[in-house]
Amino acid sequence: MREREELDDEQDFGALLKILRVPRRIKQATVVALLLDKGWTATSYTRLENGDVAPSFDQLLPIYRALFLAGVCFTLADRHQFVERARKKIDSKKTHRDIRTDAEWAQLRYELARLDGLVDMPPTLAARVHIPYKPLLADTNHLIGRERWRGDVL
């Protein structure tokens, strides 16, 4: 989508979340509902998207998963932006520093790729490789009656 091209280097992690969510008409309440068991509230998620707070490293996978389940189809570039902007935001924290090794960031990238059902590989190679769909073991009540949308997502 063209919205991704509008993302410049000065925008932060929260802006990326909004750019991924808004064009698909996904409401914040939908994302928050998928994060409720992780302790998120509508206010805390809004503050994250507005750039007022930084996520913790341990919150990144649940945030990504919630967006994915809400209907965001991440491209390889989106996933890269998600990790890079999150890292930049986390590293900019002045208090409650959350310093992680490169290996931990690489593991996060791997987990995100597994969630997407993709592997980090060159697009030309990825286009030739058929990757079987592995369903997530998650609540699917929000899919009832939305077979066409589900087909588009798959």
Side-chain angles (χ1 to χ4, degrees):
M1 298 187 89
R2 295 283 178 225
E3 292 82 10
R4 288 187 197 103
E5 294 174 12
E6 296 172 13
L7 190 65
D8 62 33
D9 290 335
E10 296 304 312
Q11 291 178 317
D12 72 354
F13 181 68
L16 175 66
L17 297 180
K18 196 178 291 188
I19 286 172
L20 291 170
R21 179 183 58 77
V22 170
R24 292 165 182 84
R25 295 189 174 107
I26 299 168
K27 297 183 185 291
Q28 273 189 353
T30 304
V31 178
V32 172
L34 294 165
L35 288 168
L36 280 178
D37 63 332
K38 305 295 182 200
W40 285 85
T41 64
T43 303
S44 60
Y45 187 79
T46 299
R47 292 185 68 216
L48 178 68
E49 272 196 4
N50 289 341
D52 298 335
V53 296
S56 71
F57 180 83
D58 296 332
Q59 293 172 329
L60 295 176
L61 185 58
I63 291 168
Y64 192 91
R65 182 179 290 121
L67 289 167
F68 179 77
L69 292 174
V72 174
C73 295
F74 288 90
T75 64
L76 185 63
D78 294 337
R79 188 174 350 119
H80 176 75
Q81 288 292 321
F82 181 90
V83 173
E84 291 305 311
R85 292 184 190 283
R87 189 172 190 173
K88 185 176 178 182
K89 186 72 172 178
I90 290 170
D91 288 346
S92 73
K93 290 169 64 172
K94 293 183 171 72
T95 59
H96 304 290
R97 307 246 340 152
D98 191 6
I99 301 184
R100 300 297 175 132
T101 65
D102 287 339
E104 289 172 300
W105 285 102
Q107 181 64 31
L108 174 66
R109 281 189 175 89
Y110 174 74
E111 293 298 327
L112 299 180
R114 276 189 24 182
L115 181 65
D116 285 339
L118 302 173
V119 189
D120 282 320
M121 60 177 68
T124 55
L125 181 59
R128 287 185 272 139
V129 176
H130 173 69
I131 301 170
Y133 174 70
K134 296 178 183 175
L136 296 173
L137 300 176
D139 179 52
T140 57
N141 290 335
H142 63 284
L143 298 175
I144 295 173
R146 299 177 74 187
E147 287 76 20
R148 183 172 173 213
W149 173 82
R150 183 180 174 276
D152 291 345
V153 170
L154 293 176

